[in-house]
């Protein structure tokens, strides 16, 4: 087991002996009480590495950023709280509740020990739990040659959180413009290496819609991710309390719906950004499909569900209930949208039914 060489700040809570997990995961493992709105269920155990000294990144939109006050383990990762549990409890509770889950995900943070601890955790989960496992990598803590080690240890999929559509926005929110350590080129190389090592549809790229980019730029990025053989896991920007973007507006619903639809078509090889059309402000005006086909996909509701790693026959096992918007304003649907949801979605995206 790796040894602790970190200097604790306020309390000694450190991976790999300790992990944070999403509130939804804690509810699924019966570690927290509660029911989700509309009985949403989670199918992926989302776990996050944690260290007393915190994440070395400084991303403008993240609740874990190092410049924010407070003990690291009390900071939330994204939108909802991420309580902390010891690894043995997590493994035991996962085994008890294994029938509810189709996947486990380990999220790395920017820390010198993150890779070593992740490899140890992959092996423990592979040997003791046996569910398909994804790693949300932290490229800054890794080299492209390390990607193969994740697969050899037992990871079945891996993803890179590029988050931003282009290099200038990446630099502003995560790189030198944010006094952060991340570099766009390295993230992109890591994604390409992941697609190569893990194979088609086994690599993912997290992208956030509503960070100041144009629809066209994000959609072209989604296409370049697809051209690597990877898929995009899309998020709607929602201001995280305590982050530097806490007062920034959430992504407009219409913008997110249009990009969700384009992502669905691109990732399922139903259309390509090259045959889509955009207006002078970069807003999509033609998805490259006959209107009746397009309406069929919209009516299915599938394009508006959470996009993430699959499992158990589901397009997305990692459905992150209400992870990018409150239940009163659902952005990524953790369940199939119902008829009234689809009507609302059409209204949000300005779709005119004939
Ligand atoms: S989509 Fe979910 S399971 Fe896949 S890497 Fe991202 S957080 Fe992990």
């Amino acid at each position: 087991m790796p040894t602790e060489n970190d200097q604790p700040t306020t309390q000694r809570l450190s991976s790999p002996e300790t992990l944070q997990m999403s509130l939804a995961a804690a509810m699924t493992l019966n570690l927290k009480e509660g029911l989700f709105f509309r009985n949403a269920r989670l199918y992926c155990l989302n776990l996050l590495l944690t260290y007393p000294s915190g994440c070395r990144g400084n991303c403008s939109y993240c609740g874990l950023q190092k410049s924010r006050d407070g003990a690291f383990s009390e900071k939330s990762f994204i939108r909802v709280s991420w309580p902390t549990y010891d690894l043995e409890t997590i493994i035991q509770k996962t085994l008890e509740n294994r029938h509810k889950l189709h996947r486990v995900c380990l999220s790395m943070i920017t820390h010198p020990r993150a890779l070593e601890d992740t490899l140890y955790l992959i092996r423990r989960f592979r040997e003791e739990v046996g569910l398909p496992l994804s790693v949300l990598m932290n490229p800054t803590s890794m080299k492209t040659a390390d990607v193969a080690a994740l697969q050899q240890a037992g990871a079945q999929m891996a993803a890179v959180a590029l988050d931003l559509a282009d290099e200038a926005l990446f630099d502003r929110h995560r790189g030198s413009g944010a006094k952060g350590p991340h570099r766009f080129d390295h993230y992109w190389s890591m994604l390409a290496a992941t697609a190569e090592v893990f194979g088609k549809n086994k690599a993912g790229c997290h992208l956030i819609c509503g960070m100041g980019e144009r629809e066209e730029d994000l959609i072209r990025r989604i296409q370049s991710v697809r051209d690597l053989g990877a898929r995009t896991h899309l998020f709607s920007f929602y201001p995280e309390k305590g982050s530097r973007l806490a007062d920034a507006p959430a992504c407009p619903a219409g913008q997110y719906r249009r990009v969700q639809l384009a992502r669905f078509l691109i990732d399922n090889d139903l259309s390509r950004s090259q045959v889509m059309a955009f207006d002078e402000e970069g807003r999509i005006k033609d998805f490259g499909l006959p209107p009746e086909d397009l309406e069929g996909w919209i009516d299915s509701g599938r394009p508006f569900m959470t996009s993430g790693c699959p499992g158990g026959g589901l397009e997305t096992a990692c459905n992150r209930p209400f992870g990018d918007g409150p239940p009163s304003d659902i952005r990524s649907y953790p369940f199939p949208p119902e008829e009234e949801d689809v009507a609302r979605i059409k209204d949000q995206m300005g779709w005119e039914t004939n």
Side-chain angles (χ1 to χ4, degrees):
M1 185 181 294
T3 53
E4 170 65 275
N5 56 9
D6 216 349
Q7 290 306 309
T9 50
T10 52
Q11 39 186 322
R12 195 180 178 84
L13 294 172
S14 180
S15 292
E17 295 86 1
T18 305
L19 290 164
Q20 286 182 264
M21 77 170 71
S22 69
L23 181 60
M27 284 163 60
T28 304
L29 297 190
N30 301 322
L31 288 163
K32 291 269 185 203
E33 286 188 6
L35 274 181
F36 274 113
F37 181 66
R38 289 173 62 174
N39 283 327
R41 284 185 50 200
L42 173 78
Y43 304 100
C44 177
L45 186 71
N46 298 97
L47 301 169
L48 175 67
L49 269 66
T50 187
Y51 297 98
S53 56
C55 182
R56 308 280 165 93
N58 201 26
C59 304
S60 64
Y61 50 90
C62 180
L64 296 184
Q65 61 187 248
K66 69 173 185 236
S67 57
R68 184 181 157 200
D69 292 338
F72 181 72
S73 57
E74 289 159 11
K75 294 176 183 177
S76 70
F77 177 41
I78 183 162
R79 247 200 64 71
V80 287
S81 73
W82 283 65
T84 304
Y85 297 97
D86 70 85
L87 176 62
E88 307 311 322
T89 301
I90 294 171
I91 289 182
Q92 186 204 326
K93 291 302 233 176
T94 306
L95 287 170
E96 285 169 21
N97 294 280
R98 199 179 180 285
H99 58 287
K100 300 179 190 166
L101 294 163
H102 299 311
R103 180 167 292 279
V104 173
C105 181
L106 293 171
S107 282
M108 297 167 73
I109 60 171
T110 311
H111 190 278
R113 273 213 354 231
L115 176 63
E116 182 187 0
D117 290 344
T118 299
L119 292 170
Y120 168 79
L121 289 163
I122 294 171
R123 287 188 209 105
R124 289 282 312 262
F125 276 91
R126 185 195 66 201
E127 286 162 14
E128 295 172 49
V129 175
L131 284 164
L133 189 141
S134 295
V135 178
L136 180 57
M137 293 182 283
N138 185 279
T140 302
S141 313
M142 296 173 68
K143 303 186 288 297
T144 49
D146 296 328
V147 174
L150 299 177
Q151 194 194 40
Q152 282 154 14
Q156 184 245 359
M157 295 186 69
V160 168
L162 188 69
D163 289 352
L164 283 309
D166 62 39
E167 185 165 1
L169 281 171
F170 184 98
D171 198 52
R172 185 191 311 162
H173 291 287
R174 315 193 69 186
S176 56
K179 297 191 171 58
H182 306 312
R183 297 295 169 261
F184 181 89
D185 285 350
H186 182 57
Y187 269 62
W188 191 254
S189 306
M190 286 291 290
L191 179 64
T194 305
E196 175 95 25
V197 168
F198 281 82
K200 190 164 183 190
N201 298 335
K202 295 277 170 55
C205 179
H206 285 205
L207 287 170
I208 307 176
C209 183
M211 295 293 292
E213 77 289 341
R214 303 181 328 152
E215 289 175 25
E216 178 173 1
D217 300 332
L218 189 51
I219 290 167
R220 293 200 189 284
R221 176 61 57 192
I222 290 167
Q223 183 67 60
S224 29
V225 170
R226 185 68 195 140
D227 291 344
L228 292 175
R231 283 193 158 136
T232 292
H233 308 152
L234 195 64
F235 296 73
S236 179
F237 172 69
Y238 193 91
E240 177 70 25
K241 263 192 215 154
S243 72
R244 290 197 303 283
L245 293 190
D247 297 325
C251 176
Q255 179 182 339
Y256 190 57
R257 297 299 174 216
R258 290 186 292 276
V259 175
Q260 273 184 307
L261 180 55
R263 185 224 55 94
F264 176 84
L265 298 175
I266 291 169
D267 277 356
N268 288 291
D269 304 320
L270 297 162
S271 186
R272 293 182 56 79
S273 65
Q274 290 85 345
V275 298
M276 296 178 178
F278 303 88
D279 67 16
E280 58 286 350
E281 284 162 11
R283 187 173 142 148
I284 189 161
K285 57 179 192 182
D286 186 335
F287 290 85
L289 235 63
E292 58 280 12
D293 291 0
L294 195 58
E295 181 140 29
W297 288 118
I298 294 171
D299 286 340
S300 77
R302 282 173 53 195
F304 311 104
M305 293 174 67
T306 311
S307 49
C309 296
L314 299 170
E315 252 174 273
T316 294
C318 177
N319 59 344
R320 311 181 296 271
F322 317 114
D324 63 356
S328 58
D329 188 12
I330 300 176
R331 293 308 172 86
S332 299
Y333 281 82
F335 40 68
E338 292 175 9
E339 213 175 305
E340 56 271 29
D341 297 314
V342 172
R344 184 164 173 263
I345 287 165
K346 284 182 167 176
D347 194 43
Q348 288 173 331
M349 65 190 290
W351 180 266
E352 284 170 25
T353 309
N354 294 318

